[in-house]
Amino acid sequence: MVAFWILAPIMVIAALGILFVRKAVHAALLLAVVMMSLAVLYLALEAPFLFAVQIIVYTGAILMLFLFVLMLVGVDASDSVVETIRGQRAFAIAGGVGLGVLLVTGLGQITLGTAVGLDDANAPGNIQALANILFSRYVFAFETTSALLITAAVGAMVLAHRERLTPKAGQPERAAQRMQDYAEKGAHLGPLPPPGVYARHNAVDTPALLPDGTAAESSVSRVLAARGTVRSAPALADDIEEIEHQIGWAPHAGRDAAPPASTTEEAPATGGEH
Amino acid sequence: MYAFHEGGGIPVVDPSSADGVFSLLWLVVALPLAGAAILLIGGKYTDRWGHLLGAALPIGSFALSLAMFVSLLGREEDDRQVVQELYTWFQTGHLDVGMDLLYDPLSALFLLLITGVGSLIHVYSIGYMAHDPRRRRFFGYLNLFVAAMLMLVLSENYLGLFLGWEGVGLASYLLIGFWQHKPSAAAAAKKAFVINRVGDMGMSLAIMLFFITFGSTSFAVISAGAGEASQTTMTILGLLLLLGACGKSAQFPLQAWLLDAMEGPTPVSALIHAATMVTAGVYLVVRSNFVFELAPDAQTVVVIVAVISLLWGAWIGCAKDDIKKALAGSTMSQIGYMMLGAGLGVAGYAFAIFHLLTHGFFKANMFLGAGSVMHGMNDDVDMRHYGAVRKAMPVTYLTFAMGYLAIIGFPGFSGFWSKDKIIETALADNWIVGLCALLGAGITGFYMTRLMLMTFFGEKRWERDVHPHESPSVMTIPLIVLAALSVLGGVMLAGDWIVDFLSPVTGVAPHEDPPLPAIAVTVIAVCVVAIGVALAWFLVGKREVPRVAPQEVSFVTRAGREEVYGNVINDTLVVNPGRHLTSALLTTDKYVVDGVLTGGPVTIGVAAQVGRRVQNGFVRSYALSILGGALLVALALLAVNAV
Amino acid sequence: MDDVTPYVVLSGILFTIGCVGVLTRRNAIVVFMSVELMLNASNLALVAFAKQHGNLDGQIAAFFVMVVAAAEVVVGLAIIMTIFRTRRSASVDDASLLKY
């Protein structure tokens, strides 16, 4: 009972959290809390097999599926707090309270008395006992369940399947497309330059430098460019002087006044030193 | 071959089968019917010769009627009932109705009247309707009328009689409204039709009652079994038949249509609304003598109705300035005399028919004369615009004068004999009724003299552009014939011929000593008529007749002009309540019945408009209702368990 | 330790919370999570009653519920994905075309 009194408030608070948190991911995590606690309660109720199944199937599989879909849909999607259907929230709360009062009072009215306990039933071991029942009395239901699961799997595949609208482009088609783009728009024919190959850094967020010292825009991912996290190559050159000073080599006096272009010109050389 | 009920003295209709010339009986009806069919179906292709055909066929019928009449006279007195069974009209359950024609003395006289006067009026109409573009149709309707009227008087059962009864009603409707472009004519036709429906309802109820009581509508069956029915049944039958007769014959209280019916062409007024159709009620009462003889109460009602109508019509006749309406009032009054005769029982039947025949002559004569005058006065009917017409239209004047003398009962003229007999019989029956009849005779003298003076004598009061001229001979010849008949019609009474002739139908009256000797009654009647004539002479003939009817007149005159408020009474008692009922029913229908019918869908529609908002497409709302439902179920479970 | 009533009451509370979650949240995935919460709550009750009655049928039932829930989640999330793919939204209120 100790476990119950510890877990029950946690579960209720977590469940209420599902109601109030705005982000679906948080709701999923709170649901995980409820489910894990529930697993523990199963253990307390002498159902070790369900304890395992609850953790493995529910928390492990189903909840992960939820999170997976959340990732697909958009983790950031959060509910607006404004209720759009007039009276829905008030009636929902009223109905919920009514249901809760009804259930709790209804259950409070009945006296269950002392539980029989599962010691006898679990005598050969909980899993063996369950298996005995499952494969004897409930065998048809069990087999039906397998059909259900297969149907569900097929259904999910059918639902998730997207029809191809255009024929799949193979290598010849892609090559032809590239040549056409080059002919019409002058698009670069070869592969895109890898990032930072000839710069001081070869991180993905550092653009490569072209032979004339300018940064190659196409060498970094457009996503990074959109996020504004691309580092410019010349900005990385501010420690050159310090390094030259450390190694006691000063080929140019007016280094500071030099235009960034000149810096980039030297970049291959410095890069070569590394 | 005719038998009597024991004690009743009512002859039973027991005809022999038709043979010889009588086998052509059906042709009498068929000829005008064929004429109507040809003229109405043939349409404009018969326009050129339609009126000639229309006039020829009734003449053919007349010739047949005359031949049969002569043949009938040649028979033994007790073998004068002939029936021609044409075919079974219809047979349903126990009701077996044959299309049988009965030819007996009563029918014979009617046949002669209808075809004879009808033929003359057809001939007259050739001239009268010469300028009407729809003359052919007019003749078609007239032939239809003649056929229906012949069917009415020839049928051997009440159902066939009813067929003719409705046929003449239809023809009357069509002919009153012949000038349908006039709203007044259309309204008059409708009025006649509607009022006649009231009477027809009585007729049809009577026929149903006949069938229920006797299992047949045949005269033979009913007259044979009449003694077995209860007197109450007979009284009800008599009253129902009287209702029908009142409707058709314009008797009180269904008289209002007759004056309006004068909207029709004048030959129509002469034929239908004076000589023949309106007398169908009298025919019905006389034909149904086996009913009325067994229902003394009904007979009393007939007499009362007759006396009221007699005076009512005479009153109207005194006040009307419209020559045709004055004559129509007179017609109503004269039919009152016939009804009176018919209501007096065995003693009066023959005189009723006698007066019917003479009235048919002189009233047709006068109507046609009036038509001739109107013809010359550019269809003006207001007598105040007449005066001194006698010089311009001498033939019309003279023939009209014959009719005039006949109707007032100038000694020796036909009306004198017939009316005098009815008054005499009435006095013998009940002195109050007799006095009323005498009074009516005096008033007849007054209004007919007034009409005569205003039309043919005095100063010219003509409208401008009116140049009266004598009508063409095709119109005057029928007038002359009818005038001759008006003068000589009294011959039929010579040696009580008509009474004896009709006795197979009407029975023989037991001889009673009259309270007054016949000659005294005659003298009194002539004196009363003379007083009426003299009164008219002093009130109308000696004075200047104003061209516009004076408004400052006594109540009596005003009431007479208003047709003794018959229309007002009808409007108050029937038309307005009916109208209110109709509008109330309409309102009820519109708002209650339709309200229920359309209100249901409208309510459902509105509910659906509101209710469909529940289907807002938000799955969470649906979930909320599921929760609500689940809560309700749970609460219900708890409640049930708690109990 | 012999009375399972607190478990059952907890189950009811969790069920109610899940219910309200279904009704109030608009993100389809969170709604789905609330459904899962309700299923778990019922599982708890089943297991508790299994102990109460001393047989394992309740546990078997809970086991089946888990299996069915797994199948349901697979299909349900696939549906959500399909809807998201076409409508660029995971809000249950946006899929409201089927209405008056």
Side-chain angles (χ1 to χ4, degrees), chain A residues 19-109:
Chain A
L19 282 187
F20 296 119
V21 294
R22 288 182 58 193
K23 289 203 171 183
V25 177
H26 297 168
L29 294 175
L30 287 168
L31 187 62
V33 170
V34 175
M35 287 180 173
M36 296 292 275
S37 311
L38 206 56
V40 176
L41 289 188
Y42 288 163
L43 204 56
L45 287 168
E46 299 172 60
F49 176 67
L50 286 181
F51 162 75
V53 171
Q54 175 79 9
I55 288 176
I56 295 167
V57 174
Y58 248 121
T59 324
I62 294 179
L63 211 55
M64 288 312 114
L65 199 57
F66 269 112
L67 286 170
F68 200 70
V69 172
L70 272 176
M71 296 304 142
L72 284 172
V73 169
V75 187
D76 295 338
S78 59
D79 266 358
S80 158
V81 282
V82 180
E83 177 59 64
T84 47
I85 308 174
R86 196 152 50 93
Q88 172 75 14
R89 187 170 285 170
F91 279 115
I93 291 167
V97 169
L99 182 67
V101 169
L102 191 70
L103 284 177
V104 172
T105 53
L107 291 170
Q109 275 182 343

Side-chain angles (χ1 to χ4, degrees), chain B residues 67-389:
Chain B
M68 283 189 289
F69 180 66
V70 172
S71 175
L72 191 73
L73 287 178
R75 286 199 172 200
E76 285 298 311
E77 198 170 290
D78 53 3
D79 192 23
R80 282 181 180 170
Q81 288 181 330
V82 176
V83 73
Q84 183 176 30
E85 293 176 359
L86 293 180
Y87 57 90
T88 301
W89 185 11
F90 58 81
Q91 190 171 15
T92 164
H94 299 288
L95 184 59
D96 187 359
V97 181
M99 186 57 81
D100 302 338
L101 302 181
L102 172 70
Y103 189 76
D104 65 358
L106 183 62
S107 310
L109 289 178
F110 264 93
L111 244 56
L112 287 176
L113 176 73
I114 296 161
T115 55
V117 176
S119 299
L120 290 172
I121 291 172
H122 274 78
V123 172
Y124 175 91
S125 300
I126 295 176
Y128 190 85
M129 301 297 282
H131 304 297
D132 196 299
R134 295 160 76 231
R135 180 168 67 168
R136 185 259 317 157
R137 184 187 290 266
F138 179 79
F139 274 88
Y141 290 160
L142 270 189
N143 275 3
L144 176 67
F145 167 77
V146 170
M149 190 70 202
L150 290 170
M151 182 67 217
L152 194 161
V153 297
L154 277 178
S155 174
E156 200 276 327
N157 52 53
Y158 278 102
L159 222 53
L161 186 149
F162 195 59
L163 176 71
W165 190 269
E166 293 300 318
V168 295
L170 168 68
S172 164
Y173 168 78
L174 291 171
L175 286 165
I176 295 170
F178 185 71
W179 288 322
Q180 55 203 206
H181 52 85
K182 289 198 292 185
S184 57
K190 195 167 72 180
K191 187 176 179 182
F193 205 72
V194 170
I195 294 183
N196 265 298
R197 290 276 78 68
V198 180
D200 293 347
M201 198 173 64
M203 266 296 279
S204 43
L205 286 176
I207 290 170
M208 290 174 212
L209 194 54
F210 274 130
F211 176 61
I212 292 168
T213 314
F214 302 103
S216 170
T217 60
S218 160
F219 295 146
V221 175
I222 295 170
S223 61
E228 282 133 43
S230 73
Q231 196 180 345
T232 317
T233 310
M234 285 318 219
T235 307
I236 293 169
L237 276 171
L239 292 177
L240 287 173
L241 288 173
L242 177 65
L243 182 63
C246 283
K248 197 58 81 188
S249 294
Q251 296 295 288
F252 176 82
L254 301 177
Q255 81 288 358
W257 64 274
L258 183 61
L259 278 95
D260 290 4
M262 295 301 130
E263 288 289 343
T266 306
V268 173
S269 308
L271 178 60
I272 301 184
H273 306 120
T276 55
M277 185 192 85
V278 287
T279 59
V282 181
Y283 169 80
L284 182 69
V285 175
V286 175
R287 173 60 80 194
S288 311
N289 60 338
F290 41 80
V291 175
F292 283 96
E293 283 304 313
L294 293 171
D297 293 341
Q299 270 185 327
T300 312
V301 178
V302 173
V303 169
I304 293 168
V305 166
V307 170
I308 293 175
S309 305
L310 182 165
L311 296 173
W312 192 302
W315 191 350
I316 295 172
C318 294
K320 283 287 179 184
D321 292 328
D322 180 327
I323 185 168
K324 284 179 72 182
K325 293 202 171 177
L327 284 173
S330 149
T331 303
M332 180 181 161
S333 174
Q334 297 303 314
I335 298 170
Y337 274 109
M338 300 169 208
M339 275 290 184
L340 177 59
L344 291 172
V346 179
Y349 290 139
F351 300 131
I353 297 301
F354 180 38
H355 192 57
L356 193 157
L357 294 173
T358 58
H359 172 260
F361 300 147
F362 62 67
K363 188 50 74 57
N365 173 22
M366 283 194 289
F367 257 115
L368 295 185
S372 179
V373 172
M374 284 160 56
H375 208 61
M377 307 296 285
N378 288 2
D379 288 331
D380 191 351
V381 292
D382 194 340
M383 290 192 289
R384 292 183 186 276
H385 300 165
Y386 292 172
V389 181

Side-chain angles (χ1 to χ4, degrees), chain B residues 377 380 382 385-386 461-467 547:
Chain B
M377 307 296 285
D380 191 351
D382 194 340
H385 300 165
Y386 292 172
R461 300 181 302 275
W462 305 345
E463 296 276 5
R464 268 189 288 168
D465 307 330
V466 168
H467 307 290
R547 285 199 75 240

Side-chain angles (χ1 to χ4, degrees), chain B residues 561-585:
Chain B
R561 282 183 189 162
E562 289 293 320
E563 298 160 25
V564 200
Y565 303 115
N567 288 321
V568 180
I569 294 168
N570 281 351
D571 283 350
T572 317
L573 290 182
V574 182
V575 178
N576 284 338
R579 201 168 276 159
H580 289 138
L581 179 69
T582 320
S583 61
L585 285 175

